[in-house]
């Protein structure tokens, strides 16, 4: 899942980026309001963590512009301000959740996972699709029929999670690459094929079908 972290505190931003990537997110970072607005409009993020006290353009103005432009991406506001009326202003501007500094990263990750579950109308617990159970905390996948559990690398986890959240859909290589890599990672379609084949070796080739010239389909069996 691609996440945009909008935070002008470089030390906090660097720490959060590492911890969010360890939790399975592909993270892009913006340090000011203008860059944040542009990136949020032009890139397909699943969730955004938005600080309010940004240089150049306040976070609330950025959020209002996203919502005015029809951008529905879930947004969690991250701020040092703890006044109740500021939280109300944030929700009125279109925020989906709010977390005040200081905070524990574990709580931030839990709130982000909750937002993602709500965005796809999914219940709590492991993600279960096509005979697989994905444990997003442990970054492991279990074959329901046999109970066999596999540990996943960071890229394998991000790719499998995205596939499992979009079963039966034709997903192009470009779309998959956009969701599992950040800006700084080269999006090589040949590398993507390597990770697709790794998942097939672990869970069965029939689980991910190739649509020639179109992309991949998860969970529908052989075409």
């Amino acid at each position: 899942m691609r996440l945009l972290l909008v935070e002008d505190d470089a030390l906090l931003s660097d720490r959060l980026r590492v911890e969010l990537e360890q939790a399975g997110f592909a993270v892009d970072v913006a340090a000011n309001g203008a860059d944040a607005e542009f990136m949020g409009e032009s890139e397909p993020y699943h969730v955004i963590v938005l600080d309010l006290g940004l240089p150049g353009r306040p976070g609330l103005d950025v959020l209002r512009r996203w919502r005015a432009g029809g951008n529905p991406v879930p947004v969690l506001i991250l701020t040092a301000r703890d006044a109740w009326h500021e939280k109300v202003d944030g929700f009125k501007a279109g925020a989906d959740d709010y977390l005040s500094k200081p905070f524990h990263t574990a709580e931030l990750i839990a709130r982000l996972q909750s937002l993602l579950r709500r965005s796809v109308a999914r219940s709590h617990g492991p993600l279960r699709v096509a005979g697989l159970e994905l444990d997003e905390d442990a970054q492991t996948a279990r074959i329901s029929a046999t109970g066999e559990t596999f540990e996943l690398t960071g890229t394998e986890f991000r790719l499998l999670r995205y596939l499992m959240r979009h079963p039966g859909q034709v997903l192009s290589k470009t779309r998959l690459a956009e969701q599992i890599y950040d800006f700084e990672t080269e999006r090589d379609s040949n590398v993507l094929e390597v990770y697709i084949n790794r998942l097939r070796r672990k869970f069965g080739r029939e689980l991910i079908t190739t649509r020639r010239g179109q992309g991949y389909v998860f969970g529908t069996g052989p075409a």
Side-chain angles (χ1 to χ4, degrees), residues 36-37 39-43 45 48 63 65-75 94:
E37 182 180 346
M39 294 168 70
E41 289 175 345
S42 60
E43 293 294 321
Y45 294 108
I48 294 176
L63 178 56
R65 293 186 186 206
W66 283 336
R67 296 307 189 226
N71 187 346
V73 62
V75 174

Side-chain angles (χ1 to χ4, degrees), residues 16-201:
L16 286 178
R17 179 172 191 165
V18 171
E19 292 172 333
L20 289 167
E21 287 176 344
Q22 290 173 345
F25 293 96
V27 182
D28 293 329
V29 177
N32 62 73
D35 288 347
E37 182 180 346
F38 173 77
M39 294 168 70
E41 289 175 345
S42 60
E43 293 294 321
Y45 294 108
H46 273 83
V47 66
I48 294 176
V49 178
L50 177 66
D51 185 36
L52 290 187
L54 298 172
R57 185 169 300 156
L60 279 184
D61 286 354
V62 173
L63 178 56
R64 290 188 184 103
R65 293 186 186 206
W66 283 336
R67 296 307 189 226
N71 187 346
V73 62
V75 174
L76 183 148
I77 286 180
L78 192 65
T79 180
R81 306 166 186 171
D82 198 26
W84 67 267
H85 61 85
E86 291 179 332
K87 293 184 179 182
V88 172
D89 289 342
F91 286 124
K92 286 183 176 180
D96 297 274
D97 201 356
Y98 214 110
L99 187 59
S100 299
K101 302 174 185 176
F103 59 89
H104 293 288
T105 306
E107 181 181 1
L108 172 62
I109 292 170
R111 287 176 177 270
L112 292 173
Q113 291 173 340
S114 178
L115 285 179
L116 290 169
R117 282 194 297 268
R118 277 184 262 159
S119 70
V120 296
R122 186 169 70 82
S123 61
H124 290 273
L127 178 59
R128 296 183 176 91
V129 182
L132 285 187
E133 297 180 12
L134 185 68
D135 187 325
E136 298 181 59
D137 293 324
Q139 295 187 21
T140 60
R142 176 178 175 271
I143 300 175
S144 301
T146 65
E148 189 174 8
T149 300
F150 294 87
E151 293 185 356
L152 302 168
T153 67
T155 302
E156 288 173 347
F157 170 70
R158 290 193 296 272
L159 177 57
L160 182 59
R161 178 172 59 180
Y162 192 78
L163 290 168
M164 292 179 71
R165 287 179 181 272
H166 300 83
Q169 299 182 29
V170 178
L171 303 173
S172 68
K173 290 181 179 179
T174 299
R175 181 174 174 184
L176 289 172
E178 286 177 343
Q179 294 302 327
I180 65 174
Y181 298 130
D182 56 36
F183 273 144
E184 298 179 1
T185 304
E186 184 176 354
R187 300 173 188 177
D188 187 333
S189 63
N190 293 325
V191 173
L192 180 63
E193 290 177 7
V194 169
Y195 285 104
I196 290 287
N197 286 327
R198 285 186 184 180
L199 294 179
R200 284 170 167 166
R201 284 195 295 271

